[in-house]
Amino acid sequence: MANAATPAKPVSDEIHRAIEALQRLSELFGQRRAQLAREAGVTEAQWRMLEQVDDADFLPSLFARQRACTPAAVSRTLRQLLDADLVRVSIGAEDGRQRIYQLSARGRRVLGGLRQGRAAAIASVWQPLGKRALAQFARFAEGLADRLEAYADSV
């Protein structure tokens, strides 16, 4: 690894090309996710929360910690989902302080539509690549993610 006294090697054209491809892929992935959310009439934040509420153990405070967002932001999104009749809340049977969040029938339909849209994209974009290419990509992406994570932790 280069330090302050050792100048870094020039970055090759292949590295620049790979970084640009990764940026493009990331942007397109985000763009498609936003498209799916818009088509379903929700925001991406609402979609993420619907997926979490669909899990039996949804806790707003844990969701906030996992997503590194404020409890106020989580409360605001939950309120939007409640107002749109996508989520229902009830008081816990064993502990009156506990709130139980569940998808409403409408919330289940919206989440089902989102999952169908995602499945259609997977069938169209990913499945034609074949098992070998997908395995190679997954290994490469996991290794790159590990390296980026380690680098971020070290600086």
Side-chain angles (χ1 to χ4, degrees):
M1 184 179 291
N3 60 32
T6 308
K9 292 181 182 178
V11 178
S12 71
D13 289 342
E14 291 85 15
I15 292 174
H16 280 292
R17 183 173 167 222
I19 291 169
E20 288 170 7
L22 178 61
Q23 287 172 328
R24 181 173 172 225
L25 181 61
S26 176
E27 289 166 5
L28 289 168
F29 192 84
Q31 186 179 66
R32 181 59 188 143
R33 188 168 173 84
Q35 257 180 349
L36 282 170
R38 268 193 316 277
E39 289 167 6
V42 296
T43 66
E44 290 179 79
Q46 291 169 341
W47 179 3
R48 282 189 291 276
M49 192 169 289
L50 284 173
E51 288 181 318
Q52 289 298 306
V53 169
D54 194 36
D55 290 342
D57 299 332
F58 174 75
L59 294 171
S61 58
L62 181 60
F63 182 84
R65 253 181 274 134
Q66 289 172 336
R67 296 288 178 179
C69 60
T70 65
V74 171
S75 293
R76 188 171 39 255
T77 303
L78 262 175
R79 173 59 37 212
Q80 293 166 351
L81 294 174
L82 288 163
D83 291 347
D85 190 34
L86 297 172
V87 170
R88 297 187 188 240
V89 63
S90 59
I91 296 171
E94 296 176 15
D95 183 351
R97 297 170 296 172
Q98 184 181 16
R99 301 291 179 257
I100 309 298
Y101 296 92
Q102 296 176 313
L103 296 180
S104 66
R106 184 168 184 255
R108 285 190 298 279
R109 283 192 305 274
V110 167
L111 189 56
L114 285 162
R115 288 176 174 160
Q116 284 180 334
R118 184 170 46 199
I122 289 169
S124 178
V125 174
W126 291 92
Q127 284 179 337
L129 296 175
K131 286 185 178 185
R132 185 168 180 221
L134 288 170
Q136 288 174 324
F137 177 80
R139 275 192 307 276
F140 174 78
E142 289 163 353
L144 182 59
D146 289 345
R147 293 174 66 88
L148 285 169
E149 190 174 55
Y151 182 77
D153 289 345
S154 74
V155 294

